[in-house]
């Protein structure tokens, strides 16, 4: 096990965020064969998981990296209210084929507001609020996530320059602030659904996510209060 040293600043002058790591083990999956390593944020106690291809990136390119925020409803139960589970599957397929790492960031449910508050936000969305308005109605941040631990994990894995699998420019900006250079944004847009189109439109319009939203393939959104949104990227 290794732990970040907090006594000395990193090469970019920033104080390292303390994390510790466990052993690297094999992880065969439906998406391919990976190696995995658990990491602990020594400030919050959150336990994260790095899932990496054992193969070097193709053509000497920077490795693909996905920062995937935990989403129980989408990742485990396959919720159609979001695109999280489908983005997770797509990222693993891309990393298996091209090389890189997926960081599964726990404690970031509902863009950092937690599972119980996410369900409360769902109730407000069913009353007509969008994903941003629902958080505001609860007195919560629109996005409460922190990427300091993720950036430190990437640094300790030697991933200082990456191609980021994301539709969210804010992740690129936050990683840059933490000292990780994003040399390319690689889109992870998956086909939208009738049930999540309003949520995705809100992310595009109000959170600057890089989405095209082909409504011809997604189907037009339902009217009234039965279209859902919330989740994350």
């Amino acid at each position: 096990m290794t732990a970040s040293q907090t006594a000395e600043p990193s090469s970019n002058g920033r104080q390292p965020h303390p994390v510790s790591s466990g052993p690297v083990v094999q992880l065969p999956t439906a998406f391919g064969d990976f190696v995995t390593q658990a990491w602990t944020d020594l400030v919050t106690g959150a336990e994260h998981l790095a899932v990496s291809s054992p193969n070097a990136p193709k053509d000497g390119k920077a490795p693909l990296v996905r920062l995937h925020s935990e989403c129980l409803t989408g990742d485990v139960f396959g919720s159609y209210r979001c695109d999280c589970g489908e983005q997770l599957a797509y990222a693993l397929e891309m990393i298996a084929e091209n090389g890189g790492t997926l960081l599964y960031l726990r404690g970031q449910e509902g863009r950092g507001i937690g599972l119980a508050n996410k369900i409360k936000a769902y109730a407000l969305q069913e009353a007509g609020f969008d994903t941003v308005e629902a958080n505001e109605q609860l007195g919560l941040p629109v996005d409460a996530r922190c990427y300091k631990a993720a950036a430190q994990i990437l640094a300790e894995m030697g991933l200082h320059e990456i191609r980021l699998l994301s539709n969210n420019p804010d992740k690129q900006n936050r990683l840059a602030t933490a000292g990780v250079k994003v040399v390319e944004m690689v889109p992870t847009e998956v086909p939208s659904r009738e049930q999540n189109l309003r949520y995705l439109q809100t992310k595009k319009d109000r959170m600057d996510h890089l989405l095209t939203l082909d409504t011809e393939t997604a189907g037009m959104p339902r009217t009234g209060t039965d279209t859902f949104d919330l989740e994350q990227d």
Side-chain angles (χ1 to χ4, degrees):
M1 174 181 291
T2 63
S4 302
Q5 300 299 311
T6 58
E8 297 180 3
S10 60
S11 59
N12 59 23
R14 296 178 180 87
Q15 199 75 3
H17 188 92
V19 296
S20 66
S21 63
V24 177
V25 301
Q26 303 295 316
L27 186 69
T29 78
F31 305 101
D33 293 332
F34 298 93
V35 294
T36 189
Q37 185 178 30
W39 292 80
T40 302
D41 183 331
L42 298 179
V43 175
T44 67
E47 296 175 328
H48 309 302
L49 193 69
V51 179
S52 306
S53 169
N55 303 315
K58 290 183 177 180
D59 303 323
K61 293 182 177 180
L64 290 172
V65 169
R66 166 74 179 169
L67 303 184
H68 191 87
S69 297
E70 177 181 27
C71 176
L72 181 69
T73 50
D75 298 341
V76 176
F77 296 105
S79 169
Y80 286 170
R81 297 182 74 132
C82 67
D83 58 348
C84 300
E86 290 159 310
Q87 283 198 78
L88 175 62
Y90 177 76
L92 287 171
E93 290 171 354
M94 288 286 288
I95 288 168
E97 180 179 354
N98 298 285
T101 293
L102 181 141
L103 284 186
Y104 194 84
L105 301 173
R106 300 180 66 236
Q108 293 198 354
E109 188 81 44
R111 297 194 302 271
I113 66 174
L115 181 60
N117 281 327
K118 184 171 85 168
I119 301 304
K120 291 178 183 177
Y122 277 173
L124 289 169
Q125 290 155 21
E126 291 180 5
F129 295 98
D130 68 28
T131 182
V132 172
E133 294 164 344
N135 282 33
E136 291 171 343
Q137 287 292 314
L138 293 170
L140 298 170
V142 173
D143 192 338
R145 290 173 292 181
C146 176
Y147 297 106
K148 290 181 180 180
Q152 186 63 37
I153 292 168
L154 293 177
E156 296 201 14
M157 294 179 68
L159 302 176
H160 302 287
E161 294 190 3
I162 66 172
R163 292 186 294 147
L164 185 64
L165 281 162
S166 180
N167 305 315
N168 184 0
D170 184 55
K171 285 185 179 179
Q172 179 179 11
N173 297 336
R174 295 213 215 176
L175 284 175
T177 299
V180 177
K181 183 178 181 180
V182 177
V183 298
E184 182 183 357
M185 290 281 288
V186 180
T188 58
E189 184 170 3
V190 295
S192 51
R193 299 178 180 274
E194 182 181 9
Q195 297 94 330
N196 67 20
L197 190 55
R198 183 190 178 211
Y199 144 71
L200 294 171
Q201 191 70 54
T202 301
K203 288 207 297 187
K204 179 180 180 180
D205 294 344
R206 303 194 62 181
M207 302 176 71
D208 298 324
H209 284 223
L210 306 176
L211 299 168
T212 59
L213 301 183
D214 185 351
T215 56
E216 291 185 3
T217 59
M220 295 304 292
R222 288 194 288 255
T223 58
T225 60
D226 59 346
T227 50
F228 305 133
D229 58 328
L230 185 69
E231 307 302 341
Q232 58 232 5
D233 171 26

